[in-house]
Amino acid sequence: MAREGTLIGDRYRLLGPAGQGAVVWHAQDERLDRIVAVKPLFDEPAPPIPVQRGAICDVVDEDSTTYLVLEYPGARTLTELLDEHGTLAPGLVARFGAQLAAVLAAAHDEGVLHAAVDPDHVVVSAEGHAAIVAGAGGAGARAYLAPEVLDGGFPDFPSEVYSLGATLYAALQGRPGAEHTPAPHPVAEAVLRLLHPNPAARPTMAEAEELFSSSLPRRPGSRDDGARRTLAGDYRCV
């Protein structure tokens, strides 16, 4: 039975189910360093594929099961992805978290705040790389602001760490905030650390990057360069 971390066809590392109750997985193509969707084919009817616009990239036979590998949807905001999937796989949230934290940590090193970190300002490419876009008016959605900012304080580096945590929490749970404890998982534990009510107890953005990078699946014996690794060559569905 497929499960998180399983390697399909010596190439596609399963990151977790693509949405709640879906028989589709998010996976990392370890050959081309991209995100794909993997759907097992069964004799009985299966739920609709939540990535309807994805072209078929590959067909893999593994452990008496045939899997369709589909390309990940083109560049869209995280809000749009959550509208379609409901939630994202923990492994995918870790990947996005490491990528976003790396960008924000570099900005913090320069003394710069983004000040609008929320799903509307996170864009995910077809290759599965997350980026931050400029916020209109420099204000994020209220649901993603740190408690001290909602109480009238000024945004600062710890409050931006909280906003990233709230954004990633929404990706895991389908909603912002921490009213409901997510299922135990190293990625969920990392997200909750970013959401600590005490700003002084939150990790720095650079520490957040390390938390999520350490949660990424790795090939045995390989060195993972985390979110700072770049994609070599063009994206192709091959």
Side-chain angles (χ1 to χ4, degrees), residues 56-184:
I56 296 176
C57 301
D58 201 354
V59 179
V60 178
D61 290 317
E62 186 87 18
D63 294 333
S64 302
T65 301
T66 299
Y67 296 87
L68 288 182
V69 180
L70 304 115
E71 69 178 351
Y72 201 71
R76 289 189 291 169
T77 66
L78 182 57
T79 295
E80 291 171 327
L81 288 177
L82 295 179
D83 285 344
E84 181 172 328
H85 293 286
T87 60
L88 300 182
L92 195 55
V93 173
R95 179 185 173 103
F96 292 166
Q99 292 169 347
L100 295 171
V103 172
L104 292 169
H108 288 190
D109 286 345
E110 299 296 325
V112 176
L113 280 175
H114 182 275
V117 179
D118 60 38
D120 284 341
H121 295 109
V122 172
V123 175
V124 179
S125 72
E127 296 89 348
H129 291 271
I132 294 278
V133 297
R142 184 176 177 84
Y144 298 91
L145 297 178
E148 63 270 19
V149 176
L150 293 174
D151 288 341
F154 288 101
D156 56 12
F157 296 145
S159 68
E160 190 144 278
V161 168
Y162 184 97
S163 293
L164 177 61
T167 298
L168 298 174
Y169 185 93
L172 280 175
Q173 294 290 97
R175 64 178 73 87
E179 295 82 4
H180 304 279
T181 303

Side-chain angles (χ1 to χ4, degrees), residues 9-33:
D10 294 323
R11 176 172 178 176
Y12 307 105
R13 182 79 60 184
L14 300 184
L15 299 174
Q20 296 175 332
V23 189
V24 179
W25 292 75
H26 288 131
Q28 181 171 345
D29 181 345
E30 296 191 338
R31 185 177 302 172
L32 297 182
D33 187 23

Side-chain angles (χ1 to χ4, degrees), residues 193-218:
R193 286 187 61 180
L194 273 61
L195 292 173
H196 199 289
N198 180 0
R202 295 171 200 152
T204 65
M205 197 64 79
E207 290 169 343
E209 179 194 356
E210 290 298 322
L211 282 173
F212 293 117
S213 292
S214 66
S215 299
L216 290 169
R218 293 172 173 80

Side-chain angles (χ1 to χ4, degrees), residues 34-36 57 70-72 126-127 231 233-237:
R34 61 178 180 178
I35 297 298
V36 294
C57 301
L70 304 115
E71 69 178 351
Y72 201 71
E127 296 89 348
L231 187 70
D234 295 332
Y235 170 75
R236 294 184 178 89
C237 192

